[in-house]
Amino acid sequence: MGRKVTVAVATLNQWALDFEGNMSRIMESILEARELGASYRTGPELEVSGYSCEDHFHESDTYLHSWEILLEIMMSPVCQNMLIDVGMPVQHRNVAYNCRVVFHNKRILLIRPKMVMCDDGNYRETRWFSSWTKERQTEDYYLPRMIASATGQHTVPIGDAVIATRDTCLGYEICEELWNPRSTHIDMSLSGVEIIVNSSGSYMQLRKAYITTDLIRNASFKAGGMYLFSNLRGCDGQRVYFNGCSAIALNGQIVARGKQFALDDVEVTTATVDLEDIRSYRLAMRSRCTVAASTPTYPRVDVDFELSHPGDLNMVPNGPLEWIYHSAEEEIALGPACWLWDYLRRSGQGGFFLPLSGGVDSSSTAIIVHSMCRQVVKSVLLGDVQVLHDIRKILADPDFTPDNPAALCNRLLVTCYMGSENSSKETRQRATTLSNQIGSYHLEINIDGAVSALLAIFNTVTGMRPLFKANGGCPRQNLALQNIQARTRMVLSYLFAQLMLWVRNRPGGLLVLGSANVDEALRGYMTKYDCSSADINPIGGISKTDLKRFLMYAKEKFNIPIVAEIVTAPPTAELEPLHGDGALAQTDEQDMGMTYAELSQFGRLRKQAYCGPYSMFCKLVSTWRDCCTPREIADKVKHFFRCYAINRHKMTVLTPAYHAESYSPDDNRFDHRPFLYRANWSWQFKCIDEELERIQSPLPPPPPSLPADDQKSVCSSNAQDSPGSGHKANSPVFFPPEGAGGGGMTSAGSAHQLNNHHGSYGGGVGGGHEALKLTKSHSSGGYSKMHSSVMGKIKDRTGVPV
């Protein structure tokens, strides 16, 4: 006895609006699934059009071309005698839906719309699609004429239904429906659906690969059954990298999985499963059976087809396998490298240009390109014809076959040390040594002549010459002299990027790579339009702390010894004059007024924990209690938020970066916040000052105890007492009593209090209430010494925050 079925999930590297290429990859996956013996094939979300079409989903062309591609696929002989579904956008009654279209032998069986949209992180699905809200209901969908004439069908069901074959039943979830607290796989399982299929467009973030795996396992463990998860892979035109990891689970165990990072455009993962294992697993769960007996049923679309084979006794089912996750360092080495590869081969450019300073950030970017070269060589040696075709096209060399990562890196990556009179010999040496060890084509230039020429123009027009702070200049002059160096490097970067392939007798140009990390972007520790401005930035979503760990991993994995010196060297922009002995006069952490570790913590609290200044202070008081006093924490939090507010405008021109971190400040989509702030955060900082005063003030003595008979009268009278009477515990808003440490409004009740008591600052309060008293923290707006010192530490603008 046995009902063994072989099913296939496809991982595809699709490209938004590349209908022809997307169709080719879908067809290749169907052919491969057939050759592997699968009777059912599913693929990732919106695989026909590409996931990241965005506002192109408002265009009727996108829907027309999707139907045209579907017709081509359905009519192909490769697709006969298989049950297949593909993902595409569909309009029904003038509403756009994200759908799975299921077909068999040139006939469409069901259009299943997505029921839960995703609008968090980088997702904005409700901008383009609507949710199907009619649970367990279908309607007639009137097919386009081209489909009707080819299939003889005029209508098909659209809605929340399942597919019933002769031997089993299949149901569908689409991406977010698996993550939703009310996932439909439970209801479908209770209704007798044995195979649940999920098509996804799930992007990569560091340390998050286990989440999807756990969800898949749990979905099949709790209710029994087989769960098929198919995901996109690669860069399809946006900042995110879809990270594959397609998988098949059975009764709580992963039985097949695809790779997370790879250069393959098509990867098909199959598993053979005995349906009787599902049935026996469910029958043994008696509580499940009790609930299932009363569960409402789903509309079923019948198809005269069996997934299993009559002579299946010799078919060996897949057993459980262990999922080994990549470390964060491996994810940095592989993910951005794959993203760069997709961007390079689809942009039509001939390689990369990178300003290499010898520091952690630019060195990380260079090593990621080297990692990309290693993956290209590995894929070619494994026989990947598509990768070989792409690298030959990029290099304009039809006979080239890469066999050495360093040699390939020399042809793809041009690095350039852009030194000045403020550069140290140590950073120059580290840059040169690193380029030798990874194989890049390296240049060394001096920018002093260009900087002097620009300053000469300023001097000619104004008759004045700015000076560095070390030479007697003011902060404005000092910043201007730093910024002109950084911006000169950006101009030179694009000049060399456009012409270096001409110099090397090759067609095309180079993509300029940025190397600003996520922490510096958050803090605004960069010059607007400097050498951090580029075409793309592979490390723009990665923290400094993680980059250092990655470099130490790369040192051993890729045999790059110079990394040890790069990691231990103090981070510096080298934009101010060196000391007389050649020692550094400037370090990043001193300039920023905070360490990178602190900055990373601020970033996580701001974005992941959604903390404003007051909430962040309250959380850090307990977190940092062993290393900082509450006063020091208050100063650090205020300093961070002032810098963040002053520099937020830089996020509007942030170089498009690989998304890797959930506290990214990228305002393109992930982090929607203003870029013009009131920089002194007057109200928020008052709340911090009040809390600080409360923490530092001695506790007032407890009130005298009362006889039990008097307690009820006291409690009832509290409601009638004025806010200044001292009965704080039972009043929703209150003024602290004189001498209690605050002397003003509490953070929680202050706005409400002003409205209720009709008071004004400095004046009397109507209704018999005593005048509102302001502490020093209220009257000053919390404007402490830190407010003035911050202005010398930003890397772009000077001024006084309002």
Side-chain angles (χ1 to χ4, degrees):
M1 185 178 101
R3 291 282 184 175
K4 297 173 185 174
V5 301
T6 301
V7 296
V9 293
T11 305
L12 304 180
N13 192 331
Q14 303 295 69
W15 192 6
L17 299 177
D18 179 23
F19 290 99
E20 189 172 10
N22 292 347
M23 180 181 69
S24 175
R25 288 179 283 270
I26 292 171
M27 292 298 297
E28 184 180 342
S29 71
I30 294 172
L31 178 60
E32 188 173 339
R34 174 183 289 279
E35 291 174 346
L36 292 171
S39 55
Y40 172 73
R41 177 268 181 202
T42 187
E45 188 174 11
L46 293 170
E47 57 190 306
V48 171
S49 61
Y51 183 87
S52 298
C53 297
E54 301 188 321
D55 280 2
H56 289 288
F57 286 124
H58 293 316
E59 300 171 3
S60 60
D61 282 8
T62 305
Y63 299 86
L64 170 65
H65 298 326
S66 294
W67 281 111
E68 291 170 340
I69 295 301
L70 176 66
L71 182 59
E72 292 281 337
I73 296 171
M74 286 176 57
M75 295 297 110
S76 171
V78 174
C79 300
Q80 303 314 299
N81 298 316
M82 285 184 71
L83 185 62
I84 299 169
D85 63 76
V86 296
M88 58 181 271
V90 174
Q91 286 189 39
H92 173 59
R93 298 180 181 176
N94 305 125
V95 179
Y97 295 100
N98 174 351
C99 297
R100 301 304 296 177
V101 180
V102 191
F103 61 91
H104 174 258
N105 286 352
K106 302 181 182 180
R107 290 185 62 84
I108 298 176
L109 303 174
L110 172 68
I111 301 174
R112 203 287 195 173
K114 190 171 183 177
M115 301 182 69
V116 180
M117 296 291 109
C118 188
D119 280 328
D120 55 11
N122 284 289
Y123 296 107
R124 295 292 179 272
E125 289 184 346
T126 55
R127 181 179 175 92
W128 311 295
F129 299 113
S130 297
S131 301
W132 183 268
T133 57
K134 302 169 185 177
E135 295 183 5
R136 298 186 178 88
Q137 296 180 46
T138 63
E139 296 173 352
D140 286 336
Y141 180 85
Y142 290 85
L143 292 167
R145 281 176 290 183
M146 69 178 112
I147 304 293
S149 62
T151 66
Q153 299 174 275
H154 295 284
T155 63
V156 296
I158 181 172
D160 186 19
V162 298
I163 300 292
T165 67
R166 292 203 302 261
D167 54 353
T168 188
C169 187
L170 299 89
Y172 291 89
E173 289 187 324
I174 303 178
C175 200
E176 182 68 13
E177 296 173 40
L178 172 62
W179 276 259
N180 190 266
R182 294 186 60 192
S183 296
T184 54
H185 62 257
I186 297 296
D187 289 335
M188 284 191 286
S189 299
L190 293 173
S191 187
V193 176
E194 295 178 332
I195 302 174
I196 297 173
V197 184
N198 186 302
S199 61
S200 280
S202 179
Y203 61 78
M204 176 265 181
Q205 284 185 178
L206 293 176
R207 305 175 179 88
K208 294 299 176 69
Y210 73 93
I211 293 179
T212 303
T213 310
D214 287 351
L215 287 171
I216 296 168
R217 279 200 189 104
N218 292 334
S220 64
F221 172 79
K222 191 169 185 179
M226 179 164 39
Y227 200 98
L228 279 57
F229 177 82
S230 181
N231 195 23
L232 291 163
R233 171 186 289 143
C235 167
D236 74 341
Q238 258 294 351
R239 291 157 168 80
V240 300
Y241 176 81
F242 297 106
N243 65 327
C245 291
S246 297
I248 300 172
L250 175 69
N251 298 338
Q253 299 284 346
I254 300 294
V255 296
R257 60 157 293 187
K259 296 186 288 289
Q260 181 175 3
F261 303 108
L263 302 187
D264 315 54
D265 278 348
V266 177
E267 181 187 18
V268 175
T269 304
T270 62
T272 299
V273 172
D274 193 334
L275 296 176
E276 295 298 331
D277 291 341
I278 298 172
R279 293 156 190 168
S280 59
Y281 182 90
R282 288 180 171 179
L283 284 173
M285 300 171 64
R286 301 314 304 157
S287 62
R288 176 216 166 266
C289 294
T290 302
V291 177
S294 60
T295 296
T297 188
Y298 277 78
R300 295 198 174 202
V301 178
D302 294 323
V303 52
D304 188 18
F305 179 66
E306 288 185 356
L307 295 185
S308 57
H309 305 283
D312 60 5
L313 288 179
N314 293 325
M315 295 176 64
V316 180
N318 285 50
L321 57 84
E322 181 182 1
W323 195 301
I324 300 175
Y325 299 103
H326 292 289
S327 66
E329 294 80 8
E330 290 175 309
E331 289 182 320
I332 295 171
L334 298 172
C338 292
W339 184 77
L340 283 180
W341 170 248
D342 280 346
Y343 200 102
L344 177 62
R345 68 193 180 109
R346 290 171 173 173
S347 68
Q349 300 302 301
F352 302 109
F353 180 90
L354 172 66
L356 183 61
S357 69
V360 166
D361 295 333
S362 62
S363 298
S364 296
T365 300
I367 293 174
I368 286 171
V369 176
H370 178 75
S371 174
M372 183 200 80
C373 294
R374 298 176 75 95
Q375 292 185 70
V376 169
V377 171
K378 179 181 178 181
S379 295
V380 170
L381 293 177
L382 290 174
D384 193 316
V385 177
Q386 183 63 51
V387 173
L388 180 60
H389 169 77
D390 288 336
I391 194 61
R392 287 175 172 175
K393 183 178 178 181
I394 291 168
L395 297 175
D397 186 346
D399 300 319
F400 176 74
T401 301
D403 57 2
N404 182 282
L408 179 59
C409 190
N410 185 267
R411 301 186 68 165
L412 287 179
L413 176 62
V414 175
T415 54
C416 183
Y417 182 83
M418 299 182 175
S420 73
E421 61 184 1
N422 301 321
S423 303
S424 64
K425 61 181 181 180
E426 289 81 9
T427 55
R428 184 187 300 270
Q429 183 59 44
R430 288 198 296 269
T432 302
T433 305
L434 177 63
S435 68
N436 290 335
Q437 292 179 1
I438 65 173
S440 67
Y441 185 91
H442 190 62
L443 305 170
E444 290 188 5
I445 64 175
N446 191 292
I447 68 170
D448 288 334
V451 173
S452 297
L454 292 169
L455 292 176
I457 295 173
F458 180 83
N459 179 254
T460 300
V461 173
T462 66
M464 302 178 71
R465 179 172 291 275
L467 299 174
F468 282 105
K469 183 172 59 176
N471 299 326
C474 68
R476 283 183 294 176
Q477 298 173 54
N478 197 65
L479 279 176
L481 289 173
Q482 293 184 63
N483 291 337
I484 195 61
Q485 296 172 73
R487 290 180 174 130
T488 298
R489 287 175 172 138
M490 185 270 288
V491 173
L492 289 171
S493 294
Y494 277 95
L495 174 66
F496 277 82
Q498 289 176 322
L499 295 178
M500 279 310 298
L501 292 188
W502 170 65
V503 171
R504 302 181 73 185
N505 197 28
R506 274 177 50 194
L510 301 173
L511 292 165
V512 179
L513 293 181
S515 56
N517 63 64
V518 69
D519 296 328
E520 290 173 346
L522 175 68
R523 162 62 171 74
Y525 186 69
M526 62 176 69
T527 302
K528 203 173 187 179
Y529 306 115
D530 71 346
C531 60
S532 64
S533 301
D535 294 314
I536 50 175
N537 181 0
I539 68 164
I542 305 173
S543 71
K544 191 83 159 191
T545 305
D546 282 336
L547 287 175
K548 287 184 176 182
R549 294 195 186 104
F550 157 68
L551 286 177
M552 295 308 296
Y553 164 82
K555 171 181 174 291
E556 303 299 330
K557 183 71 174 180
F558 302 151
N559 189 26
I560 308 175
I562 189 61
V563 161
E565 293 183 31
I566 294 170
V567 170
T568 56
T572 174
E574 291 193 329
L575 295 173
E576 295 188 36
L578 302 172
H579 290 304
D581 58 356
L584 294 174
Q586 175 189 40
T587 62
D588 289 351
E589 292 186 335
Q590 182 181 6
D591 258 15
M592 292 192 300
M594 61 189 74
T595 66
Y596 279 105
E598 291 171 344
L599 187 49
S600 180
Q601 182 79 321
F602 292 144
R604 295 181 190 281
L605 289 174
R606 181 197 71 99
K607 179 64 177 175
Q608 295 173 346
Y610 300 101
C611 287
Y614 175 73
S615 297
M616 187 179 292
F617 167 75
C618 292
K619 286 182 179 293
L620 290 176
V621 164
S622 59
T623 305
W624 290 355
R625 64 183 182 276
D626 295 332
C627 59
C628 296
T629 65
R631 169 61 67 185
E632 291 172 337
I633 294 171
D635 289 342
K636 288 176 183 289
V637 169
K638 291 179 183 179
H639 180 58
F640 165 73
F641 272 99
R642 278 189 295 270
C643 297
Y644 164 78
I646 292 167
N647 291 291
R648 178 67 185 175
H649 64 95
K650 299 177 185 179
M651 299 306 96
T652 63
V653 296
L654 200 65
T655 296
Y658 174 86
H659 177 84
E661 187 56 80
S662 57
Y663 68 89
S664 167
D666 174 23
D667 86 329
N668 167 263
R669 174 180 294 180
F670 188 73
D671 186 30
H672 283 184
R673 284 171 167 82
F675 61 87
L676 179 62
Y677 283 92
R678 183 176 179 86
N680 67 358
W681 303 84
S682 56
W683 190 267
Q684 294 90 333
F685 287 2
K686 287 175 190 175
C687 294
I688 292 177
D689 289 339
E690 286 180 355
E691 191 68 26
L692 187 63
E693 291 173 3
R694 188 190 66 79
I695 292 172
Q696 294 177 340
S697 298
L699 293 175
S705 58
L706 296 173
D709 293 357
D710 295 338
Q711 289 182 5
K712 182 176 180 181
S713 61
V714 171
C715 293
S716 62
S717 67
N718 281 343
Q720 309 299 323
D721 288 339
S722 68
S725 64
H727 300 297
K728 295 165 52 175
N730 297 285
S731 178
V733 290
F734 56 84
F735 292 104
E738 291 188 25
M745 297 174 291
T746 66
S747 59
S750 50
H752 180 68
Q753 187 176 24
L754 286 177
N755 290 334
N756 284 357
H757 294 88
H758 314 290
S760 60
Y761 287 101
V765 180
H769 296 295
E770 60 180 323
L772 181 64
K773 298 182 178 65
L774 297 180
T775 65
K776 182 178 179 181
S777 63
H778 290 135
S779 59
S780 65
Y783 205 90
S784 67
K785 185 177 180 181
M786 291 291 290
H787 286 270
S788 57
S789 64
V790 67
M791 303 318 302
K793 299 185 185 300
I794 59 174
K795 298 297 292 182
D796 200 5
R797 290 182 176 174
T798 55
V800 178
V802 294

